[in-house]
Amino acid sequence: MQGINKYIEQNKNRFLEELIDLLKIPSVSADPAYSKDVLNTSVAVQKSLQEAGCDLVEIHETAGYPIVYGEKIIDPALPTILVYGHYDVQPADPIELWNSPPYEPVIKKTNLHPQGAIFARGACDDKGQMYMHVKALEFMVKTNQLPCNVKFMIEGEEEVGSDNLGIYVANNKEKLANDIILISDTGMIANDVPSITTGLRGLSYVEVEVTGPNRDLHSGLYGGAVANPINILTKMIASLHDENNHITVPGFYDKVENLSKEERAEMAKAPFSLENYKKALDIEAVYGEEGYTTNERNSIRPTLDVNGIWGGYIGEGAKTVIASQAFAKISMRLVPNQDWEEITELFKTHFTSIAPKGVTVKVTPHHGGQGYVTPIDTIGYQAASKAYEATFGKKPIPQRSGGSIPIVALFEQELNSKTILMGFGLDSDAIHSPNEHFGIWNYLKGIETIPYFYKYFTEMKS
Ligand code: BES
Ligand code: MN
Ligand code: MN
């Protein structure tokens, strides 16, 4: 790539300022209070794609937040790359745990980011990573080095399940036709250990509700004589794992893909320090399913976790009361071959069946999606691998991630194309947490690496 380093050096301050402007808009898709901001962000993304050199940029309205579509078709005979990303972000709360306000980006140095990192909600997930692609396009267009066609599809509902994107994709197969899908919405092992994400877990997210007596009761007058929904709910939840931390939902593991010894040995070669892992989280020990390593537990094994639990009196002081109802939100991360709708049904049946008489249980599915594994013997993976080699000076390690981007499996189903997950964030960048950040080095490295992918993919494809 002619002049990429010089171009980045000359423009990096502007690249940072533009990203900072984007991060100032609180595009929280989960909370309707921010709907204006989410819409404003879609317009900002549209503008940035126009300025970067797309010939056509449209805002496609949906029943929810709009999808920004952009394209630059230089020759229909050449390959087409479809870039996907999202401009919505997770809620910032608990806001009091941020060291600086989430929508007032600041640059600070950290141990892992000695050149500084931008602290703001969405810095890494996914505004920063999405914007690398916009700036990479700008470079290729401005220096006449765009080797193929490109389409952008940037959505505003990823953090709430991408329901409307699924409909859009199914209805626009021709418009979105492509040879490969490229996404930067995952991470890598470390700045000196580049990796490419080859797997994502599926997801089933449910809410459960346990109802006991028809009203809140005095815990002295009634306590001990009726089922307390909070006691019952916590007991039911505790029973969902056995003493080996296996999930007890019947049928849950039936379709789980079992990796061979060789595959597990290959995985174990990725550099990992359990000591550093524990230290970074301030924990004395790790915890999880018996018989598996930490890296296996968070990638190739399915899990079940309570994400929130509430009910009863949580105000100041003490109130002696037995609540009428108790609630919890539960996520199950799934692995290849587990079907999220089937798992949701299995959970529902089991959870309802373990409720004692005296309470009623309601299970409401929220959203979900299938997992994804990408083969590494493809042109797409090889082009990505060469791109990392060109800019990191070493071959990237293929690695499965524990996170989910449910729409990726749907892309394969509807558009019949594979996805390459070129993530430049670190697990320690605190996505979804207070003090989310994205290393400046990572941001610029992404902008540098992406054009090489375009180049190698086009060369290998023709
Ligand atoms: N970008 C993340 C997913 C991710 C992060 C995958 C890091 C791999 C490594 C995405 O925005 C996300 O948060 N996905 C949700 C699922 C969605 C349905 C809300 C998730 O994984 O919790
Ligand atoms: Mn994301
Ligand atoms: Mn996210």
Side-chain angles (χ1 to χ4, degrees):
M1 280 284 124
Q2 283 287 309
I4 178 75
N5 292 311
K6 189 167 157 216
Y7 192 86
I8 291 174
E9 193 49 43
Q10 285 173 343
N11 293 284
K12 68 178 183 197
N13 289 336
R14 178 173 57 83
F15 289 174
L16 281 171
E17 280 158 24
E18 289 175 11
L19 175 56
I20 285 171
D21 282 342
L22 200 60
L23 292 168
K24 284 181 183 164
I25 324 177
S27 50
V28 182
S29 51
D31 185 347
Y34 294 97
S35 63
K36 271 239 159 63
D37 298 298
V38 185
L39 293 173
N40 288 340
T41 309
S42 70
V43 176
V45 171
Q46 176 191 35
K47 215 175 126 239
S48 74
L49 283 171
Q50 281 160 344
E51 286 169 3
C54 280
D55 294 331
L56 167 77
V57 189
E58 302 169 340
I59 292 211
H60 182 92
E61 301 298 336
T62 72
Y65 290 120
I67 294 154
V68 186
Y69 173 83
E71 65 177 33
K72 187 164 182 73
I73 307 295
I74 54 172
D75 178 355
L78 285 167
T80 300
I81 296 174
L82 174 65
V83 176
Y84 162 83
H86 62 96
Y87 65 81
D88 64 322
V89 300
Q90 285 275 326
D93 51 290
I95 204 117
E96 66 279 7
L97 296 183
W98 283 76
N99 297 325
S100 57
Y103 305 109
E104 294 171 29
V106 290
I107 294 174
K108 279 185 292 191
K109 290 183 176 154
T110 72
N111 283 342
L112 292 177
H113 298 297
Q115 297 180 31
I118 310 178
F119 283 76
R121 172 55 86 231
C124 181
D125 183 14
D126 178 44
K127 284 175 175 165
Q129 297 216 67
M130 175 271 288
Y131 208 66
M132 298 180 316
H133 288 269
V134 181
K135 294 298 100 178
L137 175 69
E138 176 195 302
F139 162 74
M140 290 183 282
V141 172
K142 294 273 148 72
T143 61
N144 271 318
Q145 294 186 85
L146 181 65
C148 61
N149 305 309
V150 56
K151 297 175 178 175
F152 275 77
M153 177 170 65
I154 313 297
E155 71 153 320
E157 296 187 306
E158 195 277 340
E159 300 291 8
V160 290
S162 303
D163 286 350
N164 293 301
L165 185 70
I167 299 168
Y168 174 77
V169 170
N171 289 335
N172 290 277
K173 290 188 193 181
E174 221 152 282
K175 185 189 184 91
L176 300 172
N178 65 79
D179 296 282
I180 193 87
I181 297 170
L182 185 58
I183 304 180
S184 294
D185 193 22
T186 55
M188 58 180 190
I189 296 174
N191 287 3
D192 57 352
V193 189
S195 59
I196 296 176
T197 305
T198 51
L200 294 163
R201 286 196 285 193
L203 179 71
S204 163
Y205 200 107
V206 299
E207 187 163 328
V208 300
E209 181 185 307
V210 173
T211 306
N214 60 4
R215 61 184 169 87
D216 288 5
L217 302 171
H218 189 287
S219 67
L221 297 182
Y222 290 91
V226 296
N228 175 335
I230 301 177
N231 291 5
I232 300 291
L233 174 63
T234 51
K235 208 165 161 174
M236 288 167 69
I237 286 172
S239 79
L240 295 174
H241 291 94
D242 69 13
E243 66 283 4
N244 293 319
N245 282 317
H246 290 300
I247 294 155
T248 58
V249 177
F252 189 83
Y253 291 101
D254 282 2
K255 295 191 176 159
V256 167
E257 172 204 46
N258 282 311
L259 270 68
S260 66
K261 263 207 182 102
E262 291 73 30
E263 281 173 294
R264 288 177 70 184
E266 195 56 42
M267 265 189 78
K269 285 187 191 157
F272 175 72
S273 155
L274 192 59
E275 277 320 301
N276 292 346
Y277 187 84
K278 290 190 285 191
K279 205 149 106 204
L281 300 176
D282 229 332
I283 49 176
E284 214 176 276
V286 290
Y287 186 87
E289 190 183 2
E290 209 56 45
Y292 294 92
T293 66
T294 295
N295 276 336
E296 290 174 337
R297 286 169 179 168
N298 67 25
S299 64
I300 58 164
R301 298 298 296 167
T303 58
L304 183 154
D305 277 293
V306 178
N307 291 237
I309 182 161
W310 70 103
Y313 183 69
I314 52 164
E316 286 286 322
K319 179 187 179 197
T320 47
V321 69
I322 291 174
S324 162
Q325 288 191 301
F327 307 83
K329 290 182 195 280
I330 296 174
S331 69
M332 288 164 274
R333 296 283 171 171
L334 311 175
V335 296
N337 304 338
Q338 280 184 302
D339 176 74
W340 78 272
E341 282 172 316
E342 198 179 320
I343 292 291
T344 306
E345 270 316 300
L346 289 177
F347 176 87
K348 199 170 171 175
T349 306
H350 176 67
F351 204 70
T352 315
S353 80
I354 59 174
K357 287 210 177 77
V359 298
T360 54
V361 169
K362 201 168 120 193
V363 178
T364 312
H366 268 282
H367 54 72
Q370 313 295 34
Y372 184 73
V373 195
T374 188
I376 64 172
D377 58 353
T378 59
I379 289 177
Y381 185 88
Q382 262 136 42
S385 182
K386 271 186 80 174
Y388 279 73
E389 249 189 288
T391 60
F392 285 79
K394 15 176 132 158
K395 222 181 168 129
I397 298 173
Q399 200 193 38
R400 290 211 206 173
S401 169
S404 308
I405 311 177
I407 203 72
V408 172
L410 200 129
F411 287 157
E412 173 144 351
Q413 188 190 313
E414 298 290 341
L415 303 176
N416 212 353
S417 36
K418 298 272 179 231
T419 291
I420 298 296
L421 298 156
M422 290 178 46
F424 293 90
L426 302 181
D427 281 357
S428 53
D429 286 346
I431 64 170
H432 292 208
S433 302
N435 305 311
E436 175 178 353
H437 54 281
F438 189 33
I440 292 173
W441 185 89
N442 303 66
Y443 177 53
L444 299 178
K445 206 65 177 171
I447 299 172
E448 183 190 343
T449 307
I450 290 162
Y452 283 97
F453 175 79
Y454 279 60
K455 174 178 150 71
Y456 294 135
F457 183 74
T458 307
E459 283 173 10
M460 291 163 105
K461 191 82 190 161
S462 353

